[in-house]
Amino acid sequence: ALEKSNNMRAAFNAYTNNLVFGEGYTLNASKEEKSRLIRSEQLPDVTSVIRSDLDLRDLYRNQVLTYIEDSKAELEYQLKSGESFDATELLTLLREAQLSCNEWFKFVPEADAKDALNAVLLES
């Protein structure tokens, strides 16, 4: 339902909804940390790792969408205020949106990004 009213949300979700996870994961931790987790039987299960991954993706998606909505509101306010245009807040919001978007894209393998770009170029 929300995807129909927001193309950006739909684009983020289209990628995330088509992810396929395997039966294992790679733990990015020091040798000492890995040993400690194994000895104390605190290694997360695959389901927990996947849930955490998806939650973090959703967090960054939501940050992007919030910053974009706030940017729209700030632009409308600046245009209606009748005063001289002050872009300081607008630029700050757009930078934050970009930073959050960059964090979201860190989850996307480079090969996936290249495939998507090629698909778009073929449609053009």
Side-chain angles (χ1 to χ4, degrees):
L2 289 173
E3 283 86 3
K4 290 181 181 178
S5 64
N6 190 313
N7 290 334
M8 288 182 69
R9 177 181 291 276
F12 282 116
N13 289 352
Y15 180 83
T16 303
N17 292 341
N18 286 291
L19 290 174
V20 177
F21 291 93
E23 295 298 317
Y25 64 90
T26 301
L27 180 61
N28 296 321
S30 68
K31 184 176 180 182
E32 295 79 18
E33 181 67 10
K34 287 179 186 178
S35 295
R36 186 189 67 73
L37 290 170
I38 292 169
R39 280 194 304 278
S40 62
E41 297 182 5
Q42 291 182 327
L43 282 174
D45 61 18
V46 174
T47 302
S48 297
V49 172
I50 292 170
R51 184 176 299 118
S52 177
D53 177 273
L54 292 173
D55 286 349
L56 196 52
R57 289 172 194 261
D58 286 349
L59 172 72
Y60 288 127
R61 178 207 60 207
N62 291 344
Q63 285 179 338
V64 171
L65 297 174
T66 298
Y67 285 126
I68 294 297
E69 287 299 315
D70 290 351
S71 297
K72 288 178 186 176
E74 177 64 19
L75 178 60
E76 289 172 6
Y77 169 78
Q78 288 292 329
L79 293 174
K80 289 179 182 176
S81 72
E83 299 173 20
S84 64
F85 192 90
D86 180 5
T88 307
E89 181 67 17
L90 178 59
L91 290 174
T92 299
L93 291 166
L94 291 172
R95 279 189 203 103
E96 291 298 325
Q98 182 182 22
L99 291 172
S100 295
C101 195
N102 290 346
E103 290 300 316
W104 188 89
F105 271 102
K106 286 181 182 177
F107 287 100
V108 178
E110 188 175 337
D112 284 1
K114 286 181 180 178
D115 288 346
L117 181 59
N118 288 335
V120 169
L121 292 174
L122 288 174
E123 288 182 10
S124 303

